[in-house]
Amino acid sequence: MAYTISMTNDVKKSGLNTQAKCEPVIAFVIPCYNEEAALHVTADVLKKKVHRLENSHAVAENSFVIFVDDGSSDKTWDVIETLHRNEPVLFRGVKLAHNRGHQNALFAGLMHALSMNVDAVVSMDADLQDDPNAVDDMVQEYLRGAEIVYGVRDNRETDTAFKRGTAHAFYSLMKWLGTETVPDHADYRLMSRAALQALSQYKESNLFLRGLVPSLGFKTAKVYYKRGTRVAGESKYPLKKMVSFAIEGVTSFSTKPLTMITGLGLFSVFVGIVMLIYTLISVFSGHAVAGWGSMMCSLWILGGFILLALGIIGEYIAKIYLEVKARPRYIVETTL
């Protein structure tokens, strides 16, 4: 399958010198939550992919896969243990003591890989919707000098019209709020050791890696691929989680909503002055009863603005509350 590759100017200037990064040790980091049905298929596909990369001398022979069990309630960890027992060099495992969410599980896997002295890490979901064949081009871009390579969907044909619309609206909103994100990119990416070390310095509890990684800087490249369907199991991102994830992204990277509250407040004051003038005119002209509807409308509008403002401020206060407690993002129960 052919892939379209896009590079930044910095990468283009770096040329094609691959000697410094010849046959890097690559770790695949796969966060898993109740993926018992998909893991055997995923492991088989990744095993073949790693062996092909090793045979072509694109990566070192001791490259491996890390499965991160995010407190699954099914037999996901049992499957990971079996895979490790059968092939202890290729398959590794990290078990979190409690479900901490996709972003924390992914971060745990990235930091575990960093501690194992890998040269680069490829992160992807366990459902294989992200085409593993795109990894070949990711590695090539890394060898050319890119420290971060983003896997970007070339289309959204498999999505519903609602999901396509909300996704585009989200990326447009993030851009308007001043948050640097890569449109149509989820968490399918390659990161070099240098990029991982930089990411490890971010200590906030509210993780939004799609915004954090672009903020690191470094030389970047993009590899476009066609997103497939799940190999097994059900989606772990229903509408409720997607909305929560979007709010997390906005409040973790932009204070513009707080600035907007000031604008709404000034607008409310202006509307209030207009309504006051209208009321006085109604009273002096003997049509006071006619202003009842306008008064009720203004009360509802003002009340809605106040509640909206309190809700937005509450989101940021909640973020401060979580950060100040400085609790660990996750607790590792055991590793393989």
Side-chain angles (χ1 to χ4, degrees):
M1 182 180 293
Y3 297 93
T4 305
I5 302 169
S6 174
M7 296 180 291
T8 61
N9 290 331
D10 288 336
V11 176
K12 291 176 181 177
K13 292 176 183 178
S14 67
L16 299 176
N17 181 14
T18 62
Q19 292 181 354
K21 297 181 178 180
C22 185
E23 295 190 26
V25 177
I26 301 290
F28 288 77
V29 173
I30 317 295
C32 309
Y33 178 67
N34 291 344
E35 296 287 0
E36 173 189 357
L39 271 187
H40 283 295
V41 178
T42 302
D44 185 58
V45 171
L46 291 179
K47 175 182 176 180
K48 293 176 181 177
K49 172 54 59 180
V50 171
H51 287 337
R52 286 171 185 164
L53 289 169
E54 291 174 345
N55 292 334
S56 64
H57 302 288
V59 303
E61 291 187 359
N62 53 338
S63 296
F64 55 92
V65 179
I66 301 175
F67 292 109
V68 183
D69 180 13
D70 184 24
S72 299
S73 57
D74 63 358
K75 296 182 179 180
T76 294
W77 184 246
D78 294 338
V79 175
I80 295 173
E81 285 185 317
T82 301
L83 291 170
H84 174 71
R85 188 162 52 249
N86 294 336
E87 298 193 59
V89 176
L90 178 61
F91 295 119
R92 321 286 177 91
V94 175
K95 179 177 174 59
L96 303 188
H98 193 270
N99 176 248
R100 298 297 297 159
H102 178 271
Q103 297 291 280
N104 283 309
L106 176 54
F107 189 86
L110 295 176
M111 293 303 102
H112 185 69
L114 179 61
S115 69
M116 302 179 76
N117 297 317
V118 298
D119 295 306
V121 167
V122 174
S123 60
M124 61 188 301
D125 292 338
D127 54 22
L128 291 184
Q129 285 186 284
D130 299 321
D131 189 351
N133 291 321
V135 175
D136 300 64
D137 290 309
M138 288 184 175
V139 172
Q140 290 304 311
E141 292 308 305
Y142 166 73
L143 294 175
R144 289 187 176 100
E147 301 290 348
I148 302 172
V149 184
Y150 299 106
V152 182
R153 298 176 61 172
D154 61 359
N155 63 71
R156 286 185 170 270
E157 295 175 353
T158 58
D159 290 347
T160 62
F162 174 77
K163 191 169 183 179
R164 279 197 303 271
T166 53
H168 290 149
F170 170 72
Y171 288 117
S172 298
L173 174 64
M174 295 299 284
K175 182 179 180 179
W176 181 73
L177 292 173
T179 301
E180 188 178 0
T181 56
V182 179
D184 295 325
H185 162 71
D187 290 298
Y188 188 25
R189 67 179 74 90
L190 180 148
M191 297 182 68
S192 70
R193 182 171 182 79
L196 289 173
Q197 288 174 330
L199 181 63
S200 69
Q201 299 178 42
Y202 286 72
K203 304 300 182 183
E204 62 254 45
S205 299
N206 304 287
L207 277 177
F208 182 68
L209 293 175
R210 299 181 196 184
L212 275 180
V213 175
S215 72
L216 297 177
F218 294 102
K219 299 174 183 178
T220 65
K222 296 177 183 177
V223 171
Y224 293 87
Y225 69 97
K226 185 174 182 179
R227 189 169 171 84
T229 57
R230 287 184 61 91
V231 294
E234 298 179 351
S235 173
K236 304 305 184 296
Y237 264 94
L239 179 61
K240 182 179 178 181
K241 276 195 174 183
M242 287 193 294
V243 172
S244 177
F245 190 64
I247 294 173
E248 181 78 31
V250 171
T251 55
S252 294
F253 279 89
S254 178
T255 58
K256 234 176 188 178
L258 294 175
T259 306
M260 290 169 58
I261 290 175
T262 304
L264 287 173
L266 293 174
F267 177 74
S268 297
V269 171
F270 172 76
V271 172
I273 293 173
V274 172
M275 293 307 300
L276 174 62
I277 295 172
Y278 173 76
T279 302
L280 291 175
I281 293 174
S282 297
V283 170
F284 288 117
S285 63
H287 299 88
V289 176
W292 180 85
S294 300
M295 182 183 67
M296 292 302 294
C297 289
S298 63
L299 285 175
W300 277 103
I301 292 172
L302 184 59
F305 281 162
I306 291 173
L307 290 175
L308 175 64
L310 289 175
I312 294 174
I313 293 171
E315 285 289 334
Y316 282 92
I317 292 175
K319 292 288 187 297
I320 296 171
Y321 172 68
L322 293 173
E323 296 294 345
V324 168
K325 288 191 296 184
R327 291 179 178 176
R329 295 192 185 101
Y330 54 84
I331 296 175
V332 176
E333 180 176 323
T334 184
T335 61
L336 300 174

